Amino acid sequence: TFQVDPKEITALSLGSVIQSSNTAPKLIVLVHGMSSAPSDAAMPGVPEPNANSLDYNRFYWSPTFVQNLLGSNSLKTLSGVDVSGSRWEAHGTPNSNGKVTMTHGCRDSNADDHFIVKSSFSGGGTPDVAIFSSYRDASVHIMPQTKRLINQLYDAYVAKFGTKLAPKPGMAAPNIIFVCHSMGGLAVRTLLAAPTTSIGGVSLTPGERQKAQALRDRTAYVVTLATPHDGSQIADRVTDIKSAIDNDSNWTALNFLSQDITEAIRGTLRGQIRATAIEHLRSDFWRNHSGNAIAPYRMERTDGSHVPVYTLAGHAPGGRFFTNPTSASQFPAGSIDMGRLGEEGYRREVIRSVGLLMLDYFLHSVPGGSGPKNWGATTRSDLDIIARYHRERFGAGLSAPNEAVSAPLGLPTFFNREASSAKNVRVAGVDVAFPATKIKDGMFDADGMVGTHSGLALNLGTNQSGFFEHGAEWNTPDGSVFGSFYRVAPIDDGEEMPWVYKNHETIHRGGAVGEWVRQNLIERAGPLPGSGPVSFWPAPGLQLKLDSKGLISKLESSQFAKLRAAAANMKLIKIAKRDDD
């Protein structure tokens, strides 16, 4: 779609974000996660567009998430097409392969349809804040995905705003903010690392590396939602779990659902497990590449600063349907409104949420050469906050602190175990005492596809928990540098974050999550990692030395130390929780 003059390849610089300020225009790039292949049939029960089309981005991200991310309920494309409310997801009748086409906007051939803005934006010039809708075939390995993202975004940026040396008349260069879900975060990390070696037998061309470096210099920060930074246990056990999905006897617990819904759940899971991309979600793959070609310290701008990365992770595989500790049944069917299964959006949430719960169950319960697995142990009670049922102790069957898995779990209810005061909770007809202290069961939480430790990027190819955390110096092969990763805990000062009860499917579709990202990051965060909870901008009037191309020269550690101190006293903004239905 976007054609760049070959002459521009010799002048790829987009300029440095450090020269800018928080008042500069912002371009939020939405990067979706793993998809089905363009030739595959749509997942049963969930009509979807072709993954390698602009329509797919609108299918993937919900209107409430995007509206809250931009801070407006009224949206349009830069070409003027209204995509507010129900028009965001409206589509035609599925074709013979189950694929649909959006009925409003989304013309791949029109560059302005790739940009979403508030309807109040009028006139020319660069919007104060806009969304760029990226899309790609995300059923393949990580490098083909990354190459597609690099070329699509760079070419679109230059076509619209120009380069540092050849700006478009009347257009300001916006700062780039990546908001990614699942495997999309891995593609962006790979882009920003711009690896010089091949990964999976595929390499970036010299021109693609130049484009990636130019995008990195223009990137303010990255937000990842449920990204498996350290890989996924589901991908590690894909063979065992595939067998469990295909075993009819494993689905008897869902007999309260109609057969077509159950088959839709199974079909969705089969599609996820069989995608080629699952190979590049393995834990060993990311242990290797996060420690080498895609190491966090390789996301270094030309000036020597590192791109901040915010990691958010869900904690309840079943999402809002399975968070009720007072349910009298092992599998709380009553939390699903059977009368609403005809609604496409509600049906999608049920299918994906129940499917994620089953994936978590299969991980713990399927037979295998190495026996049942959990998501990885932890001693951090601030991360381990979800209790589970055990089949062996059904009744008062909640997991106990540090309890090991000695037998397959029953289908679990998930709910928050944090308690500020002692209380009794009635579970399956039995009063269970909860102490006034944080307790843990020794099992890491998960969103059904990604373990919380991986979603928060706690290791990044090392044996150090919290590696490359912001506010600290870390030893790397490139020397001692300040970290740039912000792991946002599910509970802050005793208050739940809006994604604590989200799962892999709902964390990127909830309005409250979009609202939190906008208020805490889009409106405040800067390109420099510091010791506070939010990255920051250089102090006004700071003189930075520029080279002949207008880029900031390499900053010394003493300069970084002075800059970092400015963010030490910032606080996270708390938002009111909202119903995302």
Side-chain angles (χ1 to χ4, degrees), residues 423-442:
K423 61 181 179 180
N424 288 334
V425 177
R426 193 163 185 80
V427 180
V430 178
D431 285 331
V432 179
F434 281 78
T437 58
K438 295 180 179 180
I439 58 177
K440 54 187 179 294
D441 58 14

Side-chain angles (χ1 to χ4, degrees), residues 132-152:
F132 177 75
S133 301
S134 73
Y135 57 93
R136 68 201 188 284
D137 176 5
S139 69
V140 296
H141 288 162
I142 192 66
M143 283 298 280
Q145 292 190 43
T146 303
K147 289 163 76 73
R148 168 65 166 159
L149 182 59
I150 289 171
N151 289 302
Q152 181 187 63

Side-chain angles (χ1 to χ4, degrees), residues 279-344:
E279 297 176 29
H280 284 188
L281 294 178
R282 290 177 56 88
S283 301
D284 54 359
F285 181 91
W286 285 100
R287 273 196 303 271
N288 177 27
H289 293 296
S290 286
N292 296 286
I294 313 177
Y297 46 84
R298 300 202 186 283
M299 295 190 296
E300 182 182 72
R301 305 186 187 95
T302 305
D303 55 48
S305 61
H306 289 86
V307 178
V309 179
Y310 293 87
T311 62
L312 283 60
H315 287 75
R320 66 191 174 101
F321 298 119
F322 304 96
T323 58
N324 180 7
T326 63
S327 171
S329 67
Q330 184 181 19
F331 193 93
S335 61
I336 296 176
D337 186 344
M338 310 298 273
R340 294 186 59 192
L341 289 178
E343 301 173 21
E344 187 173 296

Side-chain angles (χ1 to χ4, degrees), residues 59-190:
F59 160 79
Y60 199 92
W61 303 89
S62 74
T64 54
F65 180 88
V66 176
Q67 288 166 2
N68 282 278
L69 196 63
L70 284 182
S72 174
N73 291 330
S74 184
L75 306 176
K76 67 179 181 181
T77 66
L78 274 182
S79 61
V81 178
D82 181 8
V83 289
S84 302
S86 61
R87 296 170 68 91
W88 178 268
E89 296 178 301
H91 60 75
T93 303
N95 63 19
S96 59
N97 212 27
K99 298 295 178 74
V100 298
T101 300
M102 297 297 181
T103 55
H104 303 287
C106 286
R107 293 164 292 173
D108 293 55
S109 60
N110 188 329
D112 280 352
D113 273 352
H114 292 66
F115 296 88
I116 307 295
V117 296
K118 300 176 184 179
S119 295
S120 58
F121 174 74
S122 61
T126 305
D128 290 340
V129 58
I131 279 175
F132 177 75
S133 301
S134 73
Y135 57 93
R136 68 201 188 284
D137 176 5
S139 69
V140 296
H141 288 162
I142 192 66
M143 283 298 280
Q145 292 190 43
T146 303
K147 289 163 76 73
R148 168 65 166 159
L149 182 59
I150 289 171
N151 289 302
Q152 181 187 63
L153 177 56
Y154 181 87
D155 294 356
Y157 191 104
V158 172
K160 193 68 182 175
F161 309 109
T163 63
K164 175 72 174 178
L165 299 182
K168 295 289 183 181
M171 303 296 287
N175 298 321
I176 295 171
I177 298 168
F178 286 102
V179 176
C180 325
H181 178 249
S182 192
M183 200 171 196
L186 300 178
V188 169
R189 276 186 54 202
T190 308

